[in-house]
Amino acid sequence: MSILEMKVPSPGESISEVEIATWLVSDGDYVEKDQAIAEVDSDKATLELPAEEAGIITLKAAEGDVVKVGQVVCLIDTSAERPAGSAAPVAEAKAVEATPVKEAAPVAEKTSAPALNPNPVSDSYAKGTPSPAAAKIMAENGVSGAKINGTGKDGRITKQDVVAAMAAGIPADAAQGWGGTRDQNREKMSMLRRKIAERLVSVKNETAMLTTFNEVDMKPIMDLRAKYKDQFAKFHDVNLGFMSFFTKAVTEALNLFPAVNAQIDGNEMIFHNYADIGIAVSSPKGLMVPVVRNAEQMSLAEIERDIKRLAVKARDGKITPEDMTGGTFTITNGGVFGSMMSTPIINPPQSAILGMHNIIERPVAIDGKVEIRPMMYLALSYDHRIIDGKESVGFLVKVKEMIENPERIIFGGKDPYAVLLGL
């Protein structure tokens, strides 16, 4: 018998432990080499753990366990024979590659309904309260408890009461509510979510965070996009969105206001001669902020391609710590969820973050006349310890000017006619 000890590899610098999010195989299964056998959570990302060799696997850690980097989490009996009738390794590997791994549901600890006082003042709490089984059927069929007479103890609604009422022709009544019960579900926070919570609290406590607002007329960008989006998609094989315009406008504004692109390190300020822009994206594991490297050197098409690549990796759970480290500035778009205005929280150790919001048609004054324009509120949260009010407001105004005059993006935020005239 030849036993291979599988240890937790280091997912990245400064990460000393991970959490077993879910096992993708069961104890005693036969696994192929490079087959994904587990998903592990670090404080930066969720990663897959591949089998180092083929064989029968024995699990040495449970889901939810926090294990050190280098700790043995499973054993693989490499001398075991493949079970009869199983596919060849190559075919199995292709099948694994072709079938995306579904995200495992968090392990939930179900807490039963609170126990009733043995000497209650009244029986109003129990009367009309459905049992868990009854509540499930009621929720699935939109049945209101007010229309069912409970025959259980103290008037509690049982499963049989619901079935009998439905058989008698009780009408579904979704308008009565969402059919909640008195049950509670308790779920353990993932390591990633715990780390996010810790970082958010530290930012609020350790920075002098302030937010300044402005609004931007999106009509010029929307007209430009409507005119060229089909041609752009055909030529570059990627869709033209608003994020690339904002990313490019931000990189030009960062060049004019370098403090917004800087960070504090002890008693020193670090200024970056490049713009690594973090783009906040929503994923099944929570908020991720992958980084577009050297965005100041990219074209709109290159920015769109890189954002798409990183968003797909985040959605599929294949994002790595390297994809999310080293950003100098972050952009987050709450508008995709319908947010009209917010105060985004800085992504440490960065010193500022730009919040985009939804586009709403509103009446605005244009050349002395009232017109209906698609408007967006912008919010810049910044660390007042390193960025003065003049710089923060100037930065946001410069972004606004470039979005409302897209040609300025080409000229580094300057008026193209002034550049032409050498002014």
Side-chain angles (χ1 to χ4, degrees), residues 249-321:
V250 160
T251 62
E252 296 299 338
L254 290 175
N255 184 44
L256 299 173
F257 298 92
V260 184
N261 198 41
Q263 67 186 57
I264 293 178
D265 184 17
N267 294 324
E268 298 179 332
M269 295 188 299
I270 302 176
F271 291 87
H272 304 97
N273 297 320
Y274 55 88
D276 285 354
I277 307 299
I279 307 294
V281 297
S282 180
S283 76
K285 293 291 184 180
L287 185 68
M288 303 284 185
V289 190
V291 178
V292 177
R293 312 283 178 187
N294 286 109
E296 80 285 356
Q297 299 178 8
M298 291 184 173
S299 65
L300 294 179
E302 290 172 329
I303 292 173
E304 290 288 357
R305 275 194 289 265
D306 214 34
I307 291 175
K308 180 180 178 181
R309 176 184 65 84
L310 293 168
V312 169
K313 289 182 71 175
R315 180 198 65 194
D316 295 342
K318 299 185 181 299
I319 203 81
T320 64

Coordinates of all heavy atoms in Angstrom, one line a residue, residues 249-321:
A249 N -11.2 57.6 -17.4 CA -11.3 59.0 -16.8 C -10.6 59.0 -15.5 O -9.9 60.0 -15.1 CB -12.8 59.4 -16.7
V250 N -10.8 58.0 -14.7 CA -10.1 58.0 -13.3 C -8.6 57.9 -13.5 O -7.9 58.6 -12.7 CB -10.6 56.7 -12.6 CG1 -9.7 56.3 -11.4 CG2 -12.0 57.0 -12.0
T251 N -8.1 57.2 -14.4 CA -6.6 57.1 -14.6 C -6.0 58.5 -14.9 O -5.0 58.9 -14.5 CB -6.2 56.1 -15.6 OG1 -6.7 56.4 -16.9 CG2 -6.7 54.7 -15.2
E252 N -6.7 59.2 -15.8 CA -6.3 60.5 -16.2 C -6.4 61.5 -15.0 O -5.5 62.3 -14.8 CB -7.1 61.1 -17.4 CG -6.9 60.2 -18.7 CD -5.5 60.2 -19.2 OE1 -4.7 61.1 -18.8 OE2 -5.1 59.3 -19.9
A253 N -7.4 61.4 -14.2 CA -7.6 62.3 -13.1 C -6.5 61.9 -12.0 O -6.0 62.8 -11.3 CB -9.0 62.1 -12.5
L254 N -6.2 60.7 -11.8 CA -5.2 60.3 -10.9 C -3.8 60.9 -11.2 O -3.0 61.2 -10.4 CB -5.1 58.7 -10.8 CG -6.2 58.0 -10.1 CD1 -6.0 56.5 -10.2 CD2 -6.4 58.4 -8.7
N255 N -3.6 61.0 -12.5 CA -2.3 61.6 -13.0 C -2.2 63.1 -12.6 O -1.2 63.6 -12.3 CB -2.2 61.4 -14.5 CG -0.8 61.9 -15.0 OD1 0.2 61.7 -14.5 ND2 -0.9 62.7 -16.1
L256 N -3.4 63.7 -12.6 CA -3.4 65.1 -12.2 C -3.5 65.3 -10.7 O -3.0 66.4 -10.2 CB -4.7 65.8 -12.9 CG -4.7 65.8 -14.4 CD1 -6.0 66.3 -14.9 CD2 -3.5 66.6 -15.0
F257 N -4.0 64.4 -10.0 CA -4.1 64.4 -8.5 C -3.5 63.2 -7.9 O -4.2 62.3 -7.5 CB -5.5 64.6 -8.1 CG -6.2 65.8 -8.6 CD1 -6.9 65.8 -9.8 CD2 -6.2 67.0 -7.9 CE1 -7.5 66.9 -10.3 CE2 -6.8 68.1 -8.4 CZ -7.5 68.1 -9.6
P258 N -2.1 63.1 -7.9 CA -1.4 61.9 -7.5 C -1.7 61.5 -6.0 O -1.5 60.3 -5.7 CB 0.1 62.2 -7.7 CG 0.1 63.7 -7.7 CD -1.2 64.2 -8.3
A259 N -2.1 62.4 -5.1 CA -2.3 62.0 -3.7 C -3.5 61.1 -3.6 O -3.6 60.2 -2.7 CB -2.6 63.3 -2.9
V260 N -4.5 61.2 -4.6 CA -5.6 60.3 -4.6 C -5.2 58.8 -4.9 O -5.9 57.9 -4.5 CB -6.7 60.8 -5.5 CG1 -8.0 59.9 -5.5 CG2 -7.1 62.2 -5.2
N261 N -4.1 58.7 -5.6 CA -3.5 57.4 -6.0 C -2.5 56.9 -5.0 O -1.8 55.9 -5.3 CB -3.0 57.5 -7.4 CG -2.8 56.2 -8.1 OD1 -3.6 55.3 -8.0 ND2 -1.7 56.0 -8.8
A262 N -2.3 57.6 -3.9 CA -1.2 57.3 -3.0 C -1.8 56.5 -1.7 O -3.0 56.3 -1.6 CB -0.5 58.6 -2.5
Q263 N -0.9 56.2 -0.8 CA -1.3 55.5 0.4 C -0.3 55.8 1.5 O 0.8 56.2 1.3 CB -1.4 54.0 0.2 CG 0.0 53.3 -0.1 CD -0.2 51.8 -0.4 OE1 -0.9 51.5 -1.3 NE2 0.5 51.0 0.4
I264 N -0.8 55.6 2.7 CA 0.0 55.9 3.9 C 0.7 54.6 4.4 O 0.1 53.6 4.5 CB -0.8 56.5 5.1 CG1 -1.3 57.9 4.7 CG2 0.0 56.5 6.4 CD1 -2.2 58.5 5.7
D265 N 2.0 54.7 4.7 CA 2.8 53.6 5.2 C 3.6 54.2 6.4 O 4.7 54.7 6.2 CB 3.7 53.0 4.2 CG 4.5 51.8 4.7 OD1 4.0 51.2 5.7 OD2 5.5 51.4 4.1
G266 N 3.0 54.0 7.6 CA 3.7 54.5 8.8 C 3.7 56.0 8.7 O 2.6 56.7 8.7
N267 N 4.9 56.6 8.8 CA 5.0 58.1 8.7 C 5.3 58.6 7.3 O 5.7 59.7 7.1 CB 6.1 58.6 9.7 CG 5.7 58.3 11.1 OD1 4.5 58.5 11.5 ND2 6.7 58.0 12.0
E268 N 5.2 57.7 6.3 CA 5.5 58.0 4.9 C 4.3 57.9 4.0 O 3.3 57.2 4.3 CB 6.6 57.1 4.4 CG 7.9 57.3 5.2 CD 9.0 56.4 4.6 OE1 8.7 55.3 4.1 OE2 10.2 56.7 4.8
M269 N 4.3 58.6 2.9 CA 3.3 58.5 1.9 C 4.0 57.8 0.7 O 5.0 58.2 0.2 CB 2.7 59.9 1.5 CG 2.0 60.5 2.6 SD 1.1 62.0 2.1 CE 2.5 63.0 1.5
I270 N 3.3 56.8 0.1 CA 3.8 56.1 -1.1 C 3.0 56.6 -2.3 O 1.7 56.4 -2.3 CB 3.6 54.6 -0.9 CG1 4.4 54.1 0.3 CG2 4.1 53.9 -2.2 CD1 4.3 52.6 0.6
F271 N 3.6 57.2 -3.3 CA 3.0 57.7 -4.5 C 3.3 56.7 -5.6 O 4.4 56.3 -5.8 CB 3.5 59.1 -4.9 CG 3.1 60.2 -3.9 CD1 3.8 60.5 -2.8 CD2 1.9 60.9 -4.2 CE1 3.4 61.5 -1.9 CE2 1.5 61.9 -3.3 CZ 2.2 62.2 -2.2
H272 N 2.2 56.3 -6.3 CA 2.4 55.3 -7.4 C 2.4 56.0 -8.8 O 1.5 56.8 -9.1 CB 1.2 54.3 -7.3 CG 1.1 53.7 -6.0 ND1 0.2 54.1 -5.1 CD2 1.7 52.6 -5.5 CE1 0.3 53.3 -4.0 NE2 1.2 52.4 -4.2
N273 N 3.4 55.7 -9.6 CA 3.5 56.2 -10.9 C 2.8 55.3 -11.9 O 3.2 55.2 -13.1 CB 5.0 56.4 -11.3 CG 5.7 57.4 -10.4 OD1 5.1 58.4 -10.1 ND2 6.9 57.1 -10.0
Y274 N 1.7 54.7 -11.5 CA 0.9 53.8 -12.3 C -0.5 53.7 -11.6 O -0.6 54.2 -10.5 CB 1.5 52.4 -12.4 CG 1.8 51.7 -11.0 CD1 0.8 51.0 -10.4 CD2 3.0 51.9 -10.4 CE1 1.0 50.4 -9.2 CE2 3.2 51.3 -9.2 CZ 2.2 50.6 -8.5 OH 2.5 50.0 -7.3
A275 N -1.4 53.2 -12.4 CA -2.8 53.1 -11.9 C -3.3 51.7 -12.0 O -3.6 51.2 -13.1 CB -3.7 54.1 -12.6
D276 N -3.3 51.0 -10.9 CA -3.9 49.6 -10.8 C -5.2 49.8 -10.2 O -5.4 50.0 -9.0 CB -3.0 48.7 -9.9 CG -1.7 48.3 -10.6 OD1 -1.6 48.6 -11.8 OD2 -0.9 47.6 -10.0
I277 N -6.3 49.6 -11.0 CA -7.6 50.0 -10.6 C -8.4 48.7 -10.2 O -8.6 47.8 -11.0 CB -8.4 50.7 -11.8 CG1 -7.6 51.9 -12.3 CG2 -9.8 51.1 -11.3 CD1 -7.3 53.0 -11.3
G278 N -8.8 48.7 -9.0 CA -9.7 47.6 -8.5 C -11.1 47.9 -8.9 O -11.6 49.0 -8.8
I279 N -11.7 46.8 -9.5 CA -13.1 46.9 -9.9 C -14.0 46.0 -9.1 O -13.8 44.8 -9.1 CB -13.3 46.5 -11.4 CG1 -12.3 47.3 -12.3 CG2 -14.7 46.7 -11.9 CD1 -12.6 48.8 -12.4
A280 N -14.8 46.6 -8.2 CA -15.6 45.7 -7.3 C -16.7 45.0 -8.1 O -17.4 45.6 -8.9 CB -16.3 46.6 -6.3
V281 N -16.7 43.7 -7.9 CA -17.7 42.8 -8.6 C -18.4 41.9 -7.6 O -17.8 41.5 -6.6 CB -17.1 42.0 -9.7 CG1 -16.5 42.9 -10.8 CG2 -16.0 41.1 -9.2
S282 N -19.6 41.6 -7.8 CA -20.4 40.7 -7.0 C -20.1 39.3 -7.4 O -20.2 39.0 -8.6 CB -21.8 41.0 -7.0 OG -22.6 40.2 -6.1
S283 N -19.9 38.4 -6.5 CA -19.7 36.9 -6.8 C -20.5 36.1 -5.8 O -21.0 36.6 -4.8 CB -18.2 36.6 -6.7 OG -17.8 36.5 -5.4
P284 N -20.7 34.8 -6.1 CA -21.4 33.9 -5.2 C -20.8 33.9 -3.8 O -21.5 33.6 -2.8 CB -21.3 32.6 -5.8 CG -21.2 32.8 -7.3 CD -20.3 34.1 -7.3
K285 N -19.5 34.2 -3.7 CA -18.8 34.2 -2.4 C -18.8 35.5 -1.7 O -18.3 35.7 -0.6 CB -17.4 33.7 -2.6 CG -17.3 32.3 -3.0 CD -17.7 31.3 -1.9 CE -17.5 29.9 -2.3 NZ -17.8 28.9 -1.2
G286 N -19.4 36.6 -2.3 CA -19.4 37.9 -1.7 C -18.7 38.9 -2.7 O -18.4 38.6 -3.8
L287 N -18.4 40.1 -2.1 CA -17.8 41.1 -2.9 C -16.4 40.8 -3.2 O -15.6 40.6 -2.2 CB -18.0 42.5 -2.2 CG -17.5 43.7 -3.0 CD1 -18.4 44.0 -4.2 CD2 -17.4 44.9 -2.0
M288 N -15.9 40.9 -4.4 CA -14.6 40.7 -4.8 C -14.1 42.0 -5.5 O -14.8 42.7 -6.1 CB -14.4 39.5 -5.8 CG -14.9 38.2 -5.3 SD -13.8 37.5 -4.0 CE -14.6 35.9 -3.8
V289 N -12.8 42.3 -5.3 CA -12.2 43.5 -6.0 C -11.0 43.1 -6.8 O -9.8 43.3 -6.3 CB -11.9 44.6 -5.0 CG1 -11.5 45.9 -5.7 CG2 -13.0 44.8 -4.0
P290 N -11.1 42.5 -7.9 CA -10.0 42.1 -8.8 C -9.4 43.4 -9.4 O -10.1 44.5 -9.5 CB -10.6 41.3 -9.9 CG -12.0 41.6 -9.9 CD -12.4 41.9 -8.5
V291 N -8.1 43.4 -9.8 CA -7.4 44.6 -10.1 C -7.0 44.6 -11.6 O -6.5 43.6 -12.1 CB -6.1 44.7 -9.3 CG1 -5.3 45.9 -9.7 CG2 -6.5 44.8 -7.8
V292 N -7.3 45.7 -12.3 CA -6.9 45.9 -13.7 C -5.5 46.6 -13.6 O -5.4 47.7 -13.2 CB -7.9 46.7 -14.5 CG1 -7.4 47.0 -15.9 CG2 -9.2 46.0 -14.5
R293 N -4.4 45.9 -14.0 CA -3.1 46.4 -13.8 C -2.7 47.4 -14.9 O -3.1 47.2 -16.1 CB -2.1 45.2 -13.9 CG -2.4 44.0 -13.0 CD -2.1 44.3 -11.6 NE -2.5 43.1 -10.8 CZ -2.4 43.1 -9.5 NH1 -2.0 44.2 -8.8 NH2 -2.8 42.0 -8.8
N294 N -2.1 48.4 -14.6 CA -1.6 49.5 -15.5 C -2.7 49.9 -16.4 O -2.6 50.0 -17.6 CB -0.4 49.0 -16.3 CG 0.9 48.9 -15.5 OD1 1.4 47.9 -15.2 ND2 1.4 50.1 -15.2
A295 N -3.9 50.3 -15.8 CA -5.0 50.7 -16.6 C -4.7 52.0 -17.3 O -5.4 52.3 -18.4 CB -6.2 50.9 -15.7
E296 N -3.8 52.8 -16.9 CA -3.4 54.0 -17.5 C -2.8 53.8 -18.9 O -2.9 54.7 -19.7 CB -2.5 54.9 -16.6 CG -1.0 54.5 -16.7 CD -0.7 53.2 -16.0 OE1 -1.5 52.6 -15.3 OE2 0.5 52.8 -16.0
Q297 N -2.3 52.6 -19.2 CA -1.7 52.3 -20.5 C -2.7 51.6 -21.4 O -2.4 51.4 -22.6 CB -0.5 51.4 -20.3 CG 0.6 52.1 -19.4 CD 1.8 51.1 -19.2 OE1 1.8 50.0 -19.8 NE2 2.7 51.5 -18.4
M298 N -3.9 51.3 -20.9 CA -4.8 50.5 -21.7 C -5.8 51.3 -22.5 O -6.1 52.5 -22.2 CB -5.6 49.6 -20.8 CG -4.9 48.5 -20.1 SD -6.0 47.4 -19.2 CE -4.9 46.1 -18.7
S299 N -6.2 50.7 -23.6 CA -7.3 51.3 -24.4 C -8.6 50.9 -23.8 O -8.7 50.1 -22.9 CB -7.3 50.8 -25.9 OG -7.5 49.4 -25.9
L300 N -9.7 51.5 -24.3 CA -11.1 51.1 -23.8 C -11.3 49.6 -24.0 O -11.9 48.9 -23.1 CB -12.1 52.0 -24.4 CG -12.1 53.5 -24.1 CD1 -13.3 54.1 -24.9 CD2 -12.3 53.8 -22.7
A301 N -11.0 49.1 -25.2 CA -11.2 47.7 -25.5 C -10.4 46.8 -24.5 O -10.9 45.8 -24.0 CB -10.8 47.4 -26.9
E302 N -9.1 47.2 -24.3 CA -8.3 46.4 -23.4 C -8.9 46.4 -21.9 O -8.8 45.3 -21.3 CB -6.9 46.9 -23.4 CG -6.1 46.6 -24.7 CD -4.8 47.4 -24.7 OE1 -4.7 48.4 -24.1 OE2 -3.9 46.8 -25.4
I303 N -9.4 47.5 -21.5 CA -10.0 47.6 -20.2 C -11.2 46.7 -20.1 O -11.4 45.9 -19.1 CB -10.3 49.0 -19.8 CG1 -9.0 49.9 -19.6 CG2 -11.2 49.1 -18.5 CD1 -9.3 51.3 -19.4
E304 N -12.1 46.8 -21.1 CA -13.3 46.0 -21.2 C -13.0 44.5 -21.1 O -13.6 43.7 -20.4 CB -14.1 46.3 -22.4 CG -14.8 47.7 -22.4 CD -15.9 47.8 -21.4 OE1 -16.3 46.8 -20.8 OE2 -16.5 48.9 -21.2
R305 N -12.0 44.1 -21.9 CA -11.6 42.6 -21.9 C -11.1 42.2 -20.6 O -11.4 41.1 -20.1 CB -10.5 42.4 -23.0 CG -11.1 42.2 -24.4 CD -10.1 41.6 -25.4 NE -9.1 42.6 -25.7 CZ -9.1 43.4 -26.8 NH1 -10.2 43.3 -27.6 NH2 -8.2 44.2 -27.1
D306 N -10.2 43.0 -19.9 CA -9.7 42.6 -18.6 C -10.8 42.6 -17.6 O -10.7 41.7 -16.7 CB -8.6 43.6 -18.2 CG -7.4 42.9 -17.5 OD1 -7.2 41.7 -17.8 OD2 -6.9 43.5 -16.6
I307 N -11.7 43.5 -17.6 CA -12.8 43.5 -16.6 C -13.6 42.2 -16.8 O -14.0 41.6 -15.8 CB -13.6 44.8 -16.7 CG1 -12.9 46.0 -16.3 CG2 -14.9 44.6 -15.9 CD1 -13.6 47.3 -16.5
K308 N -13.9 41.9 -18.1 CA -14.7 40.7 -18.3 C -14.0 39.4 -17.9 O -14.6 38.6 -17.3 CB -15.0 40.6 -19.8 CG -15.8 39.4 -20.2 CD -16.1 39.4 -21.7 CE -16.9 38.1 -22.1 NZ -17.1 38.1 -23.6
R309 N -12.7 39.4 -18.1 CA -11.9 38.2 -17.7 C -11.9 38.0 -16.2 O -12.2 36.9 -15.7 CB -10.5 38.3 -18.2 CG -9.5 37.2 -17.8 CD -8.1 37.5 -18.2 NE -7.5 38.7 -17.6 CZ -7.0 38.7 -16.4 NH1 -6.9 37.6 -15.7 NH2 -6.5 39.8 -15.8
L310 N -11.7 39.1 -15.5 CA -11.7 39.0 -14.0 C -13.1 38.7 -13.4 O -13.2 38.0 -12.5 CB -11.1 40.3 -13.5 CG -9.7 40.6 -13.8 CD1 -9.3 42.0 -13.4 CD2 -8.8 39.6 -13.0
A311 N -14.1 39.3 -14.1 CA -15.5 39.1 -13.6 C -15.9 37.7 -13.7 O -16.6 37.1 -12.9 CB -16.5 40.0 -14.3
V312 N -15.5 37.0 -14.9 CA -15.8 35.6 -15.1 C -15.1 34.7 -14.1 O -15.7 33.8 -13.5 CB -15.5 35.2 -16.5 CG1 -15.5 33.7 -16.7 CG2 -16.4 35.9 -17.5
K313 N -13.8 35.1 -13.8 CA -13.1 34.3 -12.8 C -13.7 34.4 -11.4 O -13.8 33.4 -10.7 CB -11.6 34.8 -12.8 CG -10.8 34.4 -14.0 CD -9.4 34.9 -13.8 CE -8.6 34.0 -12.8 NZ -7.2 34.4 -12.8
A314 N -14.2 35.6 -11.1 CA -14.8 35.8 -9.8 C -16.1 35.0 -9.7 O -16.5 34.4 -8.7 CB -15.1 37.3 -9.5
R315 N -16.9 35.1 -10.8 CA -18.2 34.4 -10.8 C -18.0 32.9 -10.7 O -18.8 32.2 -10.0 CB -18.9 34.7 -12.1 CG -20.3 34.1 -12.3 CD -20.7 34.1 -13.7 NE -19.8 33.3 -14.6 CZ -19.8 33.4 -15.9 NH1 -20.5 34.2 -16.5 NH2 -19.0 32.6 -16.6
D316 N -17.0 32.3 -11.4 CA -16.8 30.9 -11.4 C -15.9 30.4 -10.2 O -15.6 29.2 -10.1 CB -16.1 30.5 -12.7 CG -16.9 30.7 -13.9 OD1 -18.1 30.9 -13.7 OD2 -16.4 30.8 -15.0
G317 N -15.6 31.3 -9.3 CA -14.8 30.9 -8.1 C -13.4 30.6 -8.4 O -12.7 29.9 -7.6
K318 N -12.8 31.1 -9.5 CA -11.5 30.8 -9.8 C -10.5 32.0 -9.6 O -9.4 32.0 -10.1 CB -11.4 30.4 -11.3 CG -12.2 29.1 -11.6 CD -12.0 28.6 -13.0 CE -12.9 27.4 -13.3 NZ -12.5 26.2 -12.4
I319 N -11.0 33.1 -9.0 CA -10.2 34.2 -8.7 C -9.1 33.9 -7.7 O -9.3 33.0 -6.8 CB -11.1 35.4 -8.2 CG1 -10.4 36.7 -8.4 CG2 -11.4 35.2 -6.7 CD1 -10.6 37.3 -9.8
T320 N -7.9 34.4 -7.9 CA -6.8 34.1 -7.0 C -6.4 35.4 -6.2 O -6.8 36.5 -6.6 CB -5.6 33.7 -7.8 OG1 -5.1 34.8 -8.7 CG2 -6.0 32.5 -8.7
P321 N -5.7 35.2 -5.1 CA -5.2 36.3 -4.3 C -4.4 37.3 -5.2 O -4.5 38.5 -4.9 CB -4.4 35.7 -3.2 CG -4.9 34.3 -3.1 CD -5.4 33.9 -4.4

